């Protein structure tokens, strides 16, 4: 293959992929594609300098990042107002018509996935950013490049932000979950979680395997001349993006309703999940007139589909004991597919609820799943009973530790602080996303660690080592190393996560943030008056907090020593220093946890980035620095060890 042939081969592969992934209309066999792909790979291996940016081989990077860097959207990403029925549509239309009588409406699916902003400059994909809070998201360009329906380059050369939803098709979702179950991993609850989770993998090769699909729904910053949204979108699709399964410009109420009914009917047959239809004013000038509220555009609305109901049978009613000791009944139902997710359990809330609805084991029931809420039983089909159904009694003793249960209002509680279920669930909670976010420490692993006696309290997590983990079934060196690293990364966490992770009753994420904002590292010795003085903290919360700290002071202090949580910094303008305004990358093992050093550098006004590029000003390296160090040296970036960094200050 010569250079010319190489260029043609890349073009051909891209055209093939476009037909396959975007148009859903393959024009080649897999073998042909694979063969040409291999040839391209071989050519590139021998001619590094010739590699084209839009070569399909450039989609999968091999750089695993250590965390995502935040990035600003060029223009704000908005949310949508939801409506649920025809009256609400009527009302919204009246308001819209009040501003302009001659408008039409662009209707398209509301996809259920994760939103993504793509920034193209000079026709090249520069950045892929998650929605985040709408202003700032996470930079996930490497992962985005693995999505085959995201063109790496486009014909449009001016700066443009293309927004859309990243989804997982229903069949792919089932495949992934089967695979996960086989590997002993927890299945994803629904395609949306699967898409969002896959998008935020630190290792892009995992994202690449998930077959994500990008579906554009709009633009941010752009110089497009079109006066109609429908024309703008047609232009976007022509640039190489995938079209929605159904879209239309409609004139008014009747046409919108008809379109809504059609999409609702047809959606079962679409490959992706929809949770409604989005109605957008089609005239850009009218959109500008209508403008935005603080959160949503006035010119668009999400017309949600009704929640889906299915009939299934209650196989069993089990009791779960949570970390606070509350015993919750859960119905185990015959596995039922609802909108791409397999439902096997439904919450029953409490025993009053079971008695009120008279739910029995063996009953046929209607379950409802709407959006991301846990499915619930809405109706018992009493007339379908045959007499074999079994009532469940209110438990008197804890199903796990056997101790007597206490009835507190509608709740039934296990009072035993050392009850195994309570301990295991507190550890799971401690490691969960909204707390210390320790990857790989989910239900199964915590139970395993507890059952073999390696971890009897959260403190024991920090005594784990390679030798101990390798004793466990299913643990090989890599899995053990990953877990140990994940635990290590929790060090230097934000102080609110630390407080939240303690699992104090009535003190959740919001309260933890308020407490850390108010007291910083002085959180341990505060008074009732000081706590109640915080807006949003009531007497019950304050009492719960103080009681917890009184009883557990020793453990909390030990945990703090280990974790070194970082209080919220009072972000003042940093004084002049060598790192102010500089882009810094950290690598290797340092004398303190890296997040702590990152925090300090940020307080000095530095931007700490995850990867080395020409824009990097300093690379600060610890022991065992690897590829980042080499890259920095090759790019001529200044490298400093920890001591040199301190000397500079
Ligand atoms: S438009 C300016 N269109 O829904 C309006 N959003 O609930 C911004 N979404 O954050 C959104 N399908 O992630 C729009 N066809 C569609 C959509 C869509 C899914 C998501 C999007 C947005 C969320 C708002």
């Amino acid at each position: 293959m010569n250079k010319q042939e190489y260029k043609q081969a890349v073009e051909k592969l891209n055209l093939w992929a476009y037909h396959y992934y975007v148009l859903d209309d393959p024009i080649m066999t897999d073998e042909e594609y694979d063969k040409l792909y291999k040839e391209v790979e071989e050519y590139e291996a021998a001619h590094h300098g010739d590699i084209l940016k839009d070569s399909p081989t450039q989609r999968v990077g091999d750089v695993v990042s250590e965390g995502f860097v935040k990035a600003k959207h060029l223009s704000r990403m908005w949310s949508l107002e939801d409506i649920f029925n025809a009256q609400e549509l009527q009302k919204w239309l009246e308001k819209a018509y009040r501003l302009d009588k001659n408008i039409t409406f662009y209707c398209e699916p509301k996809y259920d996935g994760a939103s993504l902003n793509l920034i193209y400059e000079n026709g090249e994909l520069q950045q892929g950013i998650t929605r985040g809070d709408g202003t700032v998201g996470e930079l996930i360009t490497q992962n985005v490049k693995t999505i085959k329906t995201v063109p790496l380059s486009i014909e449009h050369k001016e700066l443009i932000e293309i927004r859309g939803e990243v989804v997982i098709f229903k069949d792919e979702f089932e495949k992934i979950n089967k695979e996960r179950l086989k590997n002993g991993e927890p299945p994803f609850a629904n395609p949306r979680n699967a898409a969002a989770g896959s998008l935020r993998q630190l290792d892009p090769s995992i994202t690449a395997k998930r077959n994500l699909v990008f579906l554009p729904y709009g633009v941010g910053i752009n110089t497009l001349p079109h006066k109609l949204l429908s024309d703008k979108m047609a232009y976007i699709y022509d640039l190489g993006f995938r079209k929605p399964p159904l879209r239309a410009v409609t004139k008014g109420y009747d046409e919108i309703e008809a379109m809504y009914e059609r999409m609702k009917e047809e959606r079962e047959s679409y490959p992706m999940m929809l949770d409604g239809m989005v109605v957008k004013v089609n005239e850009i000038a009218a959109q500008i007139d209508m403008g935005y509220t603080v959160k949503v555009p006035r010119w668009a609305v999400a017309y949600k589909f009704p929640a889906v109901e299915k009939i299934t049978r209650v196989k069993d009613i089990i009791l779960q004991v949570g970390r606070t000791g509350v015993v919750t009944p859960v119905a185990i139902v015959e596995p039922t597919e609802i909108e791409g997710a397999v439902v096997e359990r439904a919450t029953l809330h409490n025993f009053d609820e079971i008695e009120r609805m008279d739910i029995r084991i063996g009953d046929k029931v209607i379950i409802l799943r709407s959006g991301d809420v846990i499915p619930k039983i809405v109706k018992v089909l009493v007339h379908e009973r045959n007499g074999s159904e079994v009532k469940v009694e209110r438990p008197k003793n804890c199903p796990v530790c056997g101790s007597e249960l206490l009835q507190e209002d509608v709740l039934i509680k296990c009072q035993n602080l050392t009850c195994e279920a309570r301990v295991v669930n507190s550890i799971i909670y401690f490691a969960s996303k909204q707390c210390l976010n320790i990857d790989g420490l989910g239900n199964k692993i915590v139970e395993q660690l507890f059952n073999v006696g390696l971890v009897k309290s959260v403190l024991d997590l920090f005594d784990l080592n390679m030798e101990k983990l390798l004793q466990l079934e299913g643990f090989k060196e890599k899995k053990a190393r990953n877990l140990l690293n994940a635990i290590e990364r929790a060090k230097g966490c934000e102080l609110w996560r630390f407080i939240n992770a303690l699992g104090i009753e009535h003190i959740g994420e919001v309260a933890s943030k308020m407490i850390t904002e108010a007291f910083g590292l002085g959180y341990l010795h505060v008074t009732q008056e000081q706590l109640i003085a915080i807006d949003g903290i009531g007497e019950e919360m304050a009492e719960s907090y103080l009681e917890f700290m009184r009883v557990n002071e020793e453990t909390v202090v030990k945990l703090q020593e280990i974790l070194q949580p970082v209080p919220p910094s009072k972000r003042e303008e940093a004084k002049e220093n060598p790192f102010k305004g500089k882009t810094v990358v950290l690598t290797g093992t340092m004398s303190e946890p890296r997040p702590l050093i990152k925090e300090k550098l940020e307080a000095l006004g530095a931007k700490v980035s995850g990867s080395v590029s020409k824009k990097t000003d300093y690379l600060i390296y610890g022991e065992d620095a690897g590829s980042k160090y080499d890259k920095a040296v090759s790019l001529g970036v200044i490298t400093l060890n920890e001591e040199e960094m301190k000397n500079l200050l």
Side-chain angles (χ1 to χ4, degrees):
M1 188 181 270
N2 62 31
K3 191 168 175 176
Q4 189 58 25
E5 285 165 341
Y6 164 70
K7 275 192 182 157
Q8 282 167 355
V10 166
E11 240 169 64
K12 201 162 167 189
L13 287 176
N14 282 340
L15 184 70
W16 279 351
Y18 171 70
H19 273 265
Y20 188 91
Y21 294 107
V22 177
L23 301 181
D24 207 4
D25 178 23
I27 53 166
M28 83 279 185
T29 64
D30 291 0
E31 292 82 58
E32 274 180 284
Y33 182 91
D34 292 343
K35 185 162 166 274
L36 193 59
Y37 188 96
K38 253 217 172 82
E39 286 171 31
V40 160
E41 265 184 335
E42 278 162 18
Y43 178 85
E44 290 177 344
H47 305 85
H48 267 281
D50 289 352
I51 300 181
L52 291 167
K53 280 208 177 110
D54 64 345
S55 162
T57 61
Q58 300 305 294
R59 287 193 178 272
V60 196
D62 51 5
V63 186
V64 176
S65 38
E66 285 162 13
F68 295 114
V69 177
K70 297 260 187 286
K72 239 177 130 126
H73 301 295
L74 301 180
S75 67
R76 163 110 187 242
M77 286 185 84
W78 298 90
S79 200
L80 283 171
E81 182 194 344
D82 289 335
I83 57 169
F84 296 92
N85 54 47
Q87 286 93 317
E88 289 180 344
L89 172 67
Q90 190 70 275
K91 261 181 41 204
W92 180 75
L93 282 175
E94 274 167 28
K95 267 194 287 177
Y97 281 130
R98 236 176 275 150
L99 285 154
D100 192 333
K101 289 204 168 46
N102 300 312
I103 44 178
T104 57
F105 303 90
Y106 187 65
C107 299
E108 63 178 352
K110 179 156 194 309
Y111 307 111
D112 205 6
S115 40
L116 177 67
N117 187 25
L118 302 174
I119 303 181
Y120 287 89
E121 218 175 337
N122 299 319
E124 271 173 29
L125 175 65
Q126 293 294 349
Q127 293 190 317
I129 312 174
T130 62
R131 181 181 185 284
D133 64 3
T135 308
V136 175
E138 281 175 321
L139 193 59
I140 51 163
T141 318
Q142 288 315 316
N143 291 352
V144 169
K145 281 189 175 167
T146 69
I147 305 175
K148 309 239 187 18
T149 36
V150 171
L152 298 177
S153 62
I154 54 177
E155 279 304 310
H156 182 84
K157 299 298 172 212
E158 279 158 56
L159 180 66
I160 188 167
E161 285 177 298
I162 298 179
R163 270 98 192 249
E165 200 82 349
V166 172
V167 303
I168 277 190
F169 283 174
K170 292 183 240 176
D171 53 354
E172 179 71 17
F173 172 74
E174 271 172 41
K175 223 170 73 193
I176 294 175
N177 267 356
K178 272 202 193 124
E179 191 84 351
R180 288 176 72 88
L181 285 170
K182 219 173 70 192
N183 297 338
E185 293 164 312
F188 287 116
N190 52 51
R192 174 172 5 101
N193 289 2
S198 305
L199 209 49
R200 292 188 67 265
Q201 288 292 329
L202 292 175
D203 179 353
S205 71
I206 300 180
T207 313
K209 285 195 201 112
R210 298 276 168 85
N211 287 328
L212 299 171
V213 177
F214 178 78
L215 296 151
Y217 59 64
V219 290
I221 264 196
N222 73 89
T223 48
L224 303 180
H226 312 94
K227 295 197 162 59
L228 296 176
L229 175 63
S230 50
D231 290 343
K232 255 190 216 224
M233 292 315 293
Y235 178 79
I236 299 292
Y237 305 137
D238 278 346
L239 289 176
F241 291 90
R242 188 163 167 136
K243 292 190 183 99
L246 182 64
R247 66 188 196 282
V249 176
T250 52
K251 282 233 180 61
Y253 176 82
D254 290 342
E255 284 185 22
I256 296 174
E257 271 295 313
M259 204 60 207
Y260 175 77
E261 287 304 323
R262 180 170 159 201
M263 210 177 275
K264 198 167 79 184
E265 283 298 304
E266 285 181 6
R267 71 180 159 138
E268 287 273 335
S269 68
Y270 299 157
M272 73 291 278
M273 284 246 298
L274 311 190
D275 60 353
M277 180 177 89
V278 183
V279 186
K280 296 172 176 170
V281 170
N282 199 29
E283 289 72 17
I284 307 289
Q287 287 185 0
I288 294 170
D289 281 350
M290 291 179 190
Y292 300 79
T293 71
V294 273
K295 271 172 69 185
V296 298
R298 290 203 187 83
W299 47 265
V301 79
Y303 192 173
K304 300 294 278 277
F305 293 139
V308 184
E309 295 183 344
K310 280 271 173 86
I311 294 178
T312 182
R313 192 182 293 277
V314 177
K315 289 202 300 193
D316 197 4
I317 291 177
I318 60 162
L319 301 171
Q320 283 185 340
V321 185
R323 66 187 162 84
T324 55
V326 174
V327 179
T328 316
V330 176
I332 305 293
V333 300
E334 274 166 15
T336 310
E337 201 247 49
I338 307 185
E339 273 285 276
V342 180
V343 174
E344 293 186 84
R345 323 174 137 228
T347 52
L348 295 170
H349 302 295
N350 54 54
F351 275 86
D352 287 21
E353 175 92 349
I354 297 184
E355 277 159 23
R356 188 179 59 76
M357 293 181 71
D358 187 21
I359 300 171
R360 304 179 190 181
I361 297 171
D363 266 340
K364 259 196 179 178
V365 293
I366 297 177
I367 51 174
L368 174 140
R369 173 174 176 266
S370 54
D372 49 359
V373 298
I374 306 165
K376 60 177 180 195
I377 295 179
V378 288
K379 192 174 166 65
V380 178
L381 302 178
V382 178
H383 58 281
E384 300 256 358
R385 283 185 179 156
N386 62 16
S388 69
E389 295 75 18
V390 182
K391 277 197 177 199
V392 281
E393 297 292 329
R394 258 172 212 263
K396 298 232 161 20
N397 295 88
C398 172
V400 178
C401 71
S403 59
E404 205 175 313
L405 294 174
L406 184 86
Q407 179 98 29
E408 222 182 80
D409 293 329
V410 294
L411 300 179
I412 301 179
K413 275 182 154 183
C414 170
Q415 300 292 99
N416 174 10
L417 274 175
T418 59
C419 171
E420 197 178 307
R422 293 189 63 170
V423 176
V424 168
N425 283 318
S426 343
I427 301 173
I428 294 170
Y429 179 74
F430 184 79
S432 67
K433 256 219 165 67
Q434 74 273 32
C435 297
L436 291 185
N437 197 8
I438 304 179
D439 240 7
L441 206 55
N443 302 17
K444 288 249 162 64
I445 307 275
V446 173
E447 274 164 26
Q448 198 183 2
L449 289 167
F450 186 88
N451 289 338
V452 299
L454 276 178
V455 175
K456 291 283 177 201
S457 79
V458 289
L459 279 169
D460 295 338
L461 289 174
F462 302 97
D463 287 333
L464 289 173
N465 55 34
M466 195 51 130
E467 197 185 331
K468 288 182 183 170
L469 287 179
L470 287 179
Q471 298 164 14
L472 294 175
E473 205 184 305
F475 270 81
K476 296 230 172 62
E477 178 141 357
K478 179 159 180 229
K479 188 166 170 184
R481 169 74 39 224
N482 284 346
L483 181 56
L484 292 172
N485 284 345
I487 294 173
E488 193 61 30
R489 274 200 300 272
K491 295 183 180 169
C493 64
E494 293 147 295
L495 183 59
W496 70 262
R497 288 185 176 277
F498 174 79
I499 304 278
N500 198 28
L502 298 173
I504 307 168
E505 218 178 344
H506 307 304
I507 304 292
E509 185 175 324
V510 177
S512 300
K513 282 182 181 162
M514 294 195 289
I515 291 172
T516 49
E517 286 289 339
F519 309 115
L521 287 171
Y523 69 91
L524 195 52
H525 300 287
V526 294
T527 64
Q528 167 103 1
E529 293 75 53
Q530 285 174 313
L531 278 169
I532 295 179
I534 301 177
D535 196 16
I537 300 226
E539 236 164 76
E540 196 182 13
M541 293 163 85
E543 258 161 42
S544 165
Y545 182 86
L546 292 172
E547 171 71 5
F548 183 95
M549 291 304 184
R550 192 178 62 75
V551 177
N552 299 292
E553 177 160 353
E554 206 182 318
T555 312
V556 174
V557 169
K558 272 193 205 145
L559 274 175
Q560 189 190 328
E561 271 168 26
I562 297 172
L563 281 165
Q564 305 269 338
V566 180
S569 53
K570 303 267 172 283
R571 289 227 183 272
E572 299 157 19
E573 173 72 0
K575 287 201 212 88
E576 272 317 312
N577 71 73
F579 292 105
K580 188 170 171 183
K582 299 285 195 242
T583 302
V584 181
V585 175
L586 304 174
T587 188
T589 316
M590 313 236 173
S591 64
E592 299 175 273
R594 264 211 316 251
L596 212 65
I597 301 183
K598 177 168 183 260
E599 186 78 26
K600 285 182 187 165
L601 284 166
E602 282 172 345
L604 291 170
K607 181 172 164 258
V608 180
S609 158
S611 58
V612 177
S613 75
K614 275 184 285 188
K615 292 196 190 123
T616 311
D617 295 298
Y618 296 108
L619 177 97
I620 300 170
Y621 62 94
E623 267 167 40
D624 294 321
S627 60
K628 284 188 194 174
Y629 181 84
D630 298 338
K631 186 162 180 196
V633 172
S634 76
L635 288 174
V637 172
I638 301 173
T639 59
L640 304 170
N641 62 25
E642 251 187 291
E643 187 146 322
E644 288 165 333
M645 169 184 84
K646 284 182 186 143
N647 288 343
L648 258 186
L649 291 169

